[in-house]
Amino acid sequence: MELKINSEHIRELESEAIFVIREVAAQFERPTLLFSGGKDSIVLVHLAKKAFWPARIPFTLVHIDTGHNFEETLQFRDNLVEELGVRLVVGSVQETIDNGRAVEEKGINASRNKLQTTTLLDTLEELKADAAIGGGRRDEEKARAKERFFSHRDEFGQWDPKNQRPELWNIFNGKKNMGEHFRVFPISNWTELDVWQYIRSENIPLPSLYYTHPRKIFKRDGVWLAWAPFMQLKPTEEVVTADVRCRTIGDITCTGVTLSHADNLNDIISEIAATRSTERGGRYDDKRSEAAMEERKREGYF
């Protein structure tokens, strides 16, 4: 059954996001757009396209490649960049490791997800970016619920939740000192369901990962993870093939998958409306500690 869209609510969210995106273009000299290949960053690109049409998107797209990304994500990214004719800069976690800027984790639970922070900060520094637009939403996780639309970062790229500017009505303060920058979150007020309803209403293409497909998976600490040849298994873990889809996409080592039969937008929206688990409930990296996300954000993570 198709869940009806509150079109007025969706259009209000769209209008708010487009206003924020235009504010970024107006207030900053070297803004970028962080593109992960996930649904939220894809929606951001779509909003930016609408905000400046018929001109091109005036932001450099920045993707941090862990070297352990889904191939479907990378292919979608390259196709989208070619279609839009925008500049793409890829920061490589592998290069960060090779240059001695980060140390590869070892062991069964090794992941490159945390190493992205150094690569991201180095890439933004190289671009001399004064703003980086991201797809974070307040409903995702308690640390992200503390974010402003314009999230100030110090000269080390770090975030202090107690040192943020007030945002009254639709007035955003982008003033900064040399070396500082802002992370900007235009879809802060959206929920996961809002995002999916907007995708359906705008007919926005997505990577096939978001729709049910057969994949080799295994279960670890209650989370189903996609299996890849570079991942180590515990003696008790078994790889099986099942119909799954992703609710959120990132590094393969920490992206949980959902057992699902939802192979179209209507089914996905109905599934999300009925679920009691959070979107990031399947993110294995968030389970490292109770404050895992906030700790990473304080260090400069997205």
Side-chain angles (χ1 to χ4, degrees):
M1 183 179 71
E2 181 175 334
L3 194 68
K4 295 187 67 175
I5 297 176
N6 184 339
S7 58
E8 182 178 352
H9 170 69
I10 294 298
R11 293 308 155 195
E12 286 176 355
L13 290 174
E14 178 191 61
S15 178
E16 177 184 64
I18 287 176
F19 176 81
V20 174
I21 289 170
R22 287 172 175 165
E23 279 293 296
V24 173
Q27 292 196 38
F28 298 100
E29 296 180 2
R30 301 178 70 87
T32 60
L33 193 155
L34 303 179
F35 185 79
S36 67
K39 67 183 187 311
D40 297 320
S41 63
I42 292 169
V43 164
L44 276 182
V45 170
H46 181 82
L47 289 165
K49 180 181 176 181
K50 294 188 77 169
F52 301 105
W53 182 263
R56 289 184 180 181
I57 296 173
F59 309 127
T60 295
L61 267 58
V62 173
H63 179 232
I64 304 304
D65 184 1
T66 67
H68 293 163
N69 293 101
F70 290 97
E71 185 59 38
E72 295 93 329
T73 304
L74 300 180
Q75 188 61 57
F76 185 93
R77 177 201 69 188
D78 293 342
N79 291 342
L80 182 63
V81 167
E82 182 178 358
E83 175 191 337
L84 296 177
V86 295
R87 181 189 181 200
L88 170 70
V89 171
V90 178
S92 169
V93 172
Q94 184 62 57
E95 287 185 12
T96 300
I97 295 170
D98 293 343
N99 293 334
R101 295 276 296 145
V103 178
E104 182 97 67
E105 291 184 0
K106 306 296 182 183
I108 294 290
N109 292 310
S111 173
R112 290 184 171 183
N113 195 54
K114 188 176 181 179
L115 305 187
Q116 292 182 87
T117 298
T118 301
T119 307
L120 172 59
L121 293 177
D122 286 351
T123 303
L124 293 178
E125 174 67 23
E126 183 179 338
L127 291 172
K128 294 182 171 22
D130 51 4
I133 302 171
R137 308 187 323 267
R138 295 189 181 115
D139 77 316
E140 288 183 273
E141 202 271 344
K142 58 188 177 183
R144 286 185 172 170
K146 300 177 183 179
E147 288 282 17
R148 303 286 199 270
F149 279 102
F150 277 33
S151 179
H152 175 263
R153 303 298 171 105
D154 66 19
E155 65 271 28
F156 301 106
Q158 297 177 338
W159 173 68
D160 181 359
K162 297 180 180 179
N163 187 29
Q164 297 296 315
R165 282 82 183 275
E167 292 181 342
L168 307 176
W169 299 286
N170 58 355
I171 300 174
F172 304 116
N173 182 359
K175 185 178 180 181
K176 64 178 185 61
N177 297 316
M178 182 174 292
E180 299 174 345
H181 73 276
F182 280 81
R183 306 287 172 86
V184 182
F185 303 105
I187 61 173
S188 289
N189 289 333
W190 297 43
T191 66
E192 182 187 11
L193 191 58
D194 292 332
V195 170
W196 279 107
Q197 290 184 327
Y198 185 71
I199 289 169
R200 183 173 68 180
S201 68
E202 295 287 298
N203 195 28
I204 301 173
L206 295 174
S208 58
L209 292 164
Y210 281 110
Y211 302 95
T212 291
H213 60 284
R215 183 173 291 275
K216 291 182 178 180
I217 62 174
F218 66 98
K219 200 168 193 177
R220 175 171 294 173
D221 298 334
V223 176
W224 286 106
L225 295 171
W227 177 81
F230 56 80
M231 298 176 72
Q232 298 183 50
L233 295 177
K234 299 177 182 179
T236 57
E237 294 172 341
E238 179 184 2
V239 176
V240 298
T241 300
D243 289 336
V244 298
R245 71 176 195 86
C246 295
R247 286 177 70 182
T248 177
I249 296 176
D251 187 283
I252 293 176
T253 60
C254 60
T255 299
V257 295
T258 301
L259 300 175
S260 174
H261 296 295
D263 59 1
N264 61 75
L265 289 175
N266 289 334
D267 286 350
I268 289 174
I269 290 172
S270 296
E271 184 178 89
I272 292 169
T275 188
R276 293 187 178 183
S277 62
T278 63
E279 180 179 7
R280 292 191 68 91
R283 288 287 298 218
Y284 195 72
D285 52 325
D286 288 349
K287 298 183 182 297
R288 293 194 169 198
S289 75
E290 284 294 319
M293 172 62 79
E294 182 153 339
E295 290 167 358
R296 294 199 303 275
K297 286 177 69 63
R298 286 179 181 272
E299 295 170 357
Y301 183 74
F302 164 67

